[in-house]
Amino acid sequence: PEQPAQHENLVQEYSEQMGFAKHQVLDASINTSVLKLSINECSFCGALKDEKVRSDMAHKTLNWFLKKTGQGEGTVEWYNKSRQKIMVITGSNAQSEITTGPSCAIQNK
């Protein structure tokens, strides 16, 4: 298991890389080839409703994760504060698939 300090560093590194504010990413952990992110979904509400922005965020995150781990493919999972999975991207930079789950942020208006 990772130490909390590593989580803090991962959250900070990811947030800085993506240009997110400090309060937007609540937690981050890497387990083999899976990056799990807990986000404050309300602070992403506008972004997550826009499919293109959501897709860009997912691909940019996957790219960052694969570069960080040196792997050819992997999975990134986003969770809200209630620990519900709200989005997943799996695959490689060349080919990946995004699935979204139920969330206030992903519901259509």
Side-chain angles (χ1 to χ4, degrees), residues 33-89:
S33 62
V34 179
L35 170 62
K36 292 186 178 188
L37 298 165
S38 294
I39 62 169
N40 177 352
E41 70 179 323
C42 296
S43 70
F44 285 101
C45 204
L48 291 174
K49 278 183 183 162
D50 182 319
E51 198 173 331
K52 177 168 178 8
V53 173
R54 194 169 66 226
S55 174
D56 288 349
M57 181 175 128
H59 285 100
K60 195 172 167 188
T61 300
L62 180 64
N63 182 33
W64 173 81
F65 174 56
L66 296 178
K67 265 200 270 192
K68 180 167 181 56
T69 61
Q71 298 181 117
E73 26 185 86
T75 300
V76 181
E77 300 175 345
W78 285 263
Y79 294 86
N80 63 14
K81 281 196 254 187
S82 308
R83 300 252 179 255
Q84 284 181 296
K85 193 182 292 181
I86 57 174
M87 182 165 70
V88 179
I89 184 169

Side-chain angles (χ1 to χ4, degrees), residues 16-30:
E16 285 173 6
Q17 192 70 37
M18 299 296 286
F20 297 148
K22 192 172 174 78
H23 69 279
Q24 289 185 286
V25 181
L26 307 172
D27 191 26
S29 64
I30 295 175

